[in-house]
């Protein structure tokens, strides 16, 4: 119950501050990192704020789980890239 309460407090605070500073820095920072298809336009504002708040609150409350998920996603991505490379080499020969 304590972890849920801490997560909710972190979530609400991140949503509040991200929404408050959206025009003065948050959206520009996201736009620098994202490809053009995912740019933070007006209709995507609350979606991005929610996603940032979920990731931020989870990172604050359970940082080890976020690290493990990141490592797992990197390993899966590496395997997919190797399989795609292997498949493209076999098809071209």
């Amino acid at each position: 119950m304590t972890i849920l309460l801490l997560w909710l407090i972190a979530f609400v605070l991140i949503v509040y501050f991200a929404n408050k500073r959206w025009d003065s820095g948050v959206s520009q920072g996201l736009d620098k990192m994202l490809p053009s298809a995912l740019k933070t336009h007006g209709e995507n504002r609350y979606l991005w704020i929610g996603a940032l708040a979920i990731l931020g609150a989870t990172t604050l409350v359970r940082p080890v789980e976020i690290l493990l998920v990141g490592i797992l996603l990197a390993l899966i991505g590496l395997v997919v890239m190797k399989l795609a490379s292997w498949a493209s080499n076999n098809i071209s020969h």
Side-chain angles (χ1 to χ4, degrees):
M1 185 67 170
T2 305
I3 292 175
L4 176 65
L5 186 61
L6 289 173
W7 190 90
L8 286 173
I9 291 169
F11 178 80
V12 168
L13 288 174
I14 291 170
V15 165
Y16 173 74
F17 287 116
N19 192 30
K20 183 177 178 182
R21 301 208 22 109
W22 181 259
D23 293 325
S24 63
V26 176
S27 66
Q28 290 86 6
L30 276 174
D31 283 344
K32 288 179 185 176
M33 295 187 306
L34 296 173
S36 62
L38 295 175
K39 296 285 185 195
T40 58
H41 305 293
E43 66 272 3
N44 294 336
R45 176 182 184 156
Y46 296 111
L47 176 72
W48 281 111
I49 289 173
L52 289 173
I54 289 170
L55 286 173
T58 305
T59 303
L60 288 173
V61 173
R62 302 233 180 200
V64 175
E65 289 181 7
I66 291 294
L67 178 65
L68 292 175
V69 167
I71 291 170
L72 182 63
L73 288 174
L75 287 174
I76 290 170
L78 180 66
V79 168
V80 167
M81 285 176 34
K82 293 292 183 181
L83 285 173
S85 174
W86 175 76
S88 68
N89 285 340
N90 284 343
I91 289 173
S92 63
H93 289 121

